[in-house]
Amino acid sequence: MFKRFVSLEWKQFSRSSYFQKGIAIKILLGLAALWMIASALVLGVAAFFGIQKVMPDKDPITVVNNFVIYWFLADVAFRYFLQQLPVLNIKPYMVIPIKRSTVIHFLLGKTTISFFNFLPLFFFLPFSVLLIINDFAALQVIAWFFSMIFFTLSINYLNFLLNKNNKAFYLILTLLIAAILLEYYGVYSITEPAGYFFNTIYNKPYAVIIPLLLMIILYRFNFKFIRKDFYLDGAISKETKEVHTQELTWLNRFGKVAPFLKNDVRMIIRNKRPKQVLFMSVIFLFYGLIFYTQETYQDMPAFLAFASMFITGGFLMSFGQLVPSWDSEYYKLLMSQNIPYREYLKSKWLLMAVAVVISFILSTPYIYFGWDIYGMIAAGALFNMGLNSFITLYGGVLNRVPMELNVKAKAFSNTQGFNPTQLLIALPKIFGPMLIFYLPYKFINFEAGIIALAISGILGLVFTNFFLNKIEKVYQKNKYKTIAAFSEKK
């Protein structure tokens, strides 16, 4: 039966529109994966020899155990945003005589076969081999290695649950940030109790049973969580709730794009996922505190330009990268109306531009760090409105992943609207302003870099109609591909 499941999953994948993405994108993603694997290998080897050189009086395994807790906490956050959990379309199997347990075990097995589960191997394996070669107790090292693998798989099953419970994720993220800050300012060191725990697992090989039991418990918890709602009526039922209508008449001043703006504002007010994006956009406002408060970055002004762009570009980055996935549930209806496509795109651009302006106003307290920093933030805001907004809209052509606006706690519904292609689209948005600022700064001065960044954004605003017309043609050309992709169920 599992062989049949694998065959059906491959057919679904190979026949879908997602399989038809450009070969160049696949090559770049493959290169990115190889780079991460190579980095993990180098880190695994360098960790052993580096610790021996810097801390010759300490065992490398002890030092790694003291800080491995940060690896796992970061892994939780990394997976939440990037790991695309494989989801089986279970509805067809609900009406045929297949055991529910068989389908659920296959679904959970798919989550195990993930790049994020294999990547830690390339760190822990070479590190463990070097330990054994250098006369560390083989039994203890092997038990420790499998413990790390079991913890990794436990995080995999934990991520399956966190994707359905945003509050739990925000709690873990808050704990991670708090632990880093407490460690940095010397208030409390989480490495001591965590290090004691992981060192105990190393010193007592039979303690490998702890992460093994944790993995089994999380697996069983996921199994019961899915089985609880594994019924046809539960899968197709819809929650009915009262909706309050907002007139939003103040948006009428924007003319033809007003109806689209009203739809977007209502969507943000009423739905969970857009609210999350809005919340994350507010967090971006504090991004500058990481760079402006550190003396290290004062000698690297290109990174200051990077931070300045992010301060005002939080909403643009998080909301804009999911255009047109926000409308995937009714995109077919939207495209069947007698409305200009250009007005639809213009409304998205206008919403992002207004968000940049609001973010810039809210960033006024950064004047505390100096007028040169605030001028860089202003230049970053102009760049975001004039160029990054259009790059983001253009990238939406490659974003054909359907998304549920109200992601509920369903174990078999994880349509997040995110795909790795967006990371590639983000590269010019991130490195573009850094390069535009750095070249004039290098050959002239700091103020020249700010002026170049601001002028590039102003030129983008001047040619707004030109960019919108070009982007409209691309969207029109790919309209039916997008409609077909949004009609699929991932």
Side-chain angles (χ1 to χ4, degrees), residues 129 159 171 267 285 352 420:
V129 170
N159 184 50
L171 175 61
M267 175 187 67
L285 287 170
M352 291 187 286

Side-chain angles (χ1 to χ4, degrees), residues 308-323:
S308 301
M309 184 270 299
F310 260 75
I311 288 171
T312 58
F315 185 83
L316 183 149
M317 294 288 185
S318 51
F319 178 88
Q321 71 174 354
L322 296 176
V323 174

Side-chain angles (χ1 to χ4, degrees), residues 26-89:
K26 292 184 175 65
I27 292 174
L28 289 174
L29 291 176
L31 291 175
L34 290 175
W35 177 81
M36 294 177 70
I37 290 173
S39 299
L41 281 170
V42 171
L43 185 61
V45 175
F48 181 85
F49 293 108
I51 293 171
Q52 278 195 329
K53 183 177 181 180
V54 178
M55 304 177 184
D57 57 327
K58 294 186 177 181
D59 290 334
I61 184 65
T62 302
V63 177
V64 169
N65 280 335
N66 287 340
F67 292 94
V68 76
I69 182 64
Y70 289 108
W71 171 289
F72 289 131
L73 289 175
D75 191 19
V76 172
F78 196 63
R79 286 171 183 266
Y80 181 84
F81 289 108
L82 296 180
Q83 185 178 9
Q84 194 72 21
L85 295 178
V87 179
L88 179 67
N89 185 7

Side-chain angles (χ1 to χ4, degrees), residues 256-274:
K256 295 181 180 179
V257 300
F260 301 106
L261 289 173
K262 290 180 181 180
N263 284 338
D264 286 333
V265 172
R266 292 188 186 108
M267 175 187 67
I268 293 172
I269 293 174
R270 295 174 179 175
N271 299 286
K272 296 179 181 178
R273 183 69 188 275

Side-chain angles (χ1 to χ4, degrees), residues 362-429:
L362 294 176
S363 69
T364 303
Y366 280 108
I367 294 177
Y368 171 81
F369 296 101
W371 287 101
D372 53 344
I373 294 296
Y374 192 63
M376 182 178 285
I377 294 174
L382 288 172
F383 182 86
N384 281 328
M385 286 191 293
L387 287 179
N388 264 355
S389 56
F390 297 116
I391 296 173
T392 302
L393 274 182
Y394 181 82
V397 176
L398 298 176
N399 183 23
R400 301 176 190 146
V401 181
M403 179 175 59
E404 293 182 5
L405 297 177
N406 271 309
V407 181
K408 298 169 60 179
K410 297 178 182 177
F412 43 83
S413 178
N414 185 36
T415 311
Q416 294 293 324
F418 179 85
N419 65 82
T421 306
Q422 293 165 6
L423 296 179
L424 301 176
I425 298 170
L427 293 179
K429 294 188 290 185

Side-chain angles (χ1 to χ4, degrees), residues 204-456:
K204 300 178 180 179
Y206 60 82
V208 69
I209 195 69
I210 297 175
L212 176 60
L213 287 175
L214 176 63
M215 181 189 70
I216 294 173
I217 289 171
L218 286 171
Y219 183 94
R220 294 299 304 174
F221 191 85
N222 274 287
F223 182 89
K224 292 179 180 178
F225 184 72
I226 300 172
R227 190 184 180 95
K228 180 179 64 176
D229 292 324
F230 197 89
Y231 297 96
L232 187 59
D233 54 350
I236 64 176
S237 62
K238 298 291 182 179
E239 179 183 0
T240 302
K241 62 181 180 179
E242 183 180 356
V243 176
H244 299 282
T245 303
Q246 294 90 5
E247 294 297 331
L248 304 176
T249 54
W250 54 276
L251 288 172
N252 292 335
R253 69 188 69 181
F254 292 103
K256 295 181 180 179
V257 300
F260 301 106
L261 289 173
K262 290 180 181 180
N263 284 338
D264 286 333
V265 172
R266 292 188 186 108
M267 175 187 67
I268 293 172
I269 293 174
R270 295 174 179 175
N271 299 286
K272 296 179 181 178
R273 183 69 188 275
K275 286 180 181 178
Q276 296 170 19
V277 167
L278 192 62
F279 173 75
M280 294 300 297
S281 302
V282 176
I283 293 179
F284 272 88
L285 287 170
F286 300 94
Y287 202 81
L289 296 177
I290 301 175
F291 291 85
Y292 302 149
T293 58
Q294 302 294 324
E295 294 183 3
T296 306
Y297 296 107
Q298 303 307 313
D299 298 327
M300 296 185 290
F303 284 94
L304 298 181
F306 166 80
S308 301
M309 184 270 299
F310 260 75
I311 288 171
T312 58
F315 185 83
L316 183 149
M317 294 288 185
S318 51
F319 178 88
Q321 71 174 354
L322 296 176
V323 174
S325 285
W326 292 116
D327 307 311
S328 60
E329 293 187 357
Y330 53 89
Y331 194 77
K332 186 183 297 184
L333 173 65
L334 193 63
M335 292 298 104
S336 66
Q337 305 300 308
N338 186 23
I339 53 176
Y341 210 131
R342 190 179 185 281
E343 301 303 326
Y344 169 79
L345 295 173
K346 186 178 180 181
S347 70
K348 303 296 184 184
W349 174 82
L350 189 59
L351 186 64
M352 291 187 286
V354 171
V356 171
V357 173
I358 294 174
S359 298
F360 174 66
I361 295 173
L362 294 176
S363 69
T364 303
Y366 280 108
I367 294 177
Y368 171 81
F369 296 101
W371 287 101
D372 53 344
I373 294 296
Y374 192 63
M376 182 178 285
I377 294 174
L382 288 172
F383 182 86
N384 281 328
M385 286 191 293
L387 287 179
N388 264 355
S389 56
F390 297 116
I391 296 173
T392 302
L393 274 182
Y394 181 82
V397 176
L398 298 176
N399 183 23
R400 301 176 190 146
V401 181
M403 179 175 59
E404 293 182 5
L405 297 177
N406 271 309
V407 181
K408 298 169 60 179
K410 297 178 182 177
F412 43 83
S413 178
N414 185 36
T415 311
Q416 294 293 324
F418 179 85
N419 65 82
T421 306
Q422 293 165 6
L423 296 179
L424 301 176
I425 298 170
L427 293 179
K429 294 188 290 185
I430 294 174
F431 294 107
M434 295 176 66
L435 184 62
I436 292 173
F437 168 83
Y438 183 76
L439 292 178
Y441 159 78
K442 185 68 176 179
F443 294 104
I444 306 177
N445 55 31
F446 187 89
E447 289 74 17
I450 293 178
I451 293 172
L453 193 60
I455 290 177
S456 64

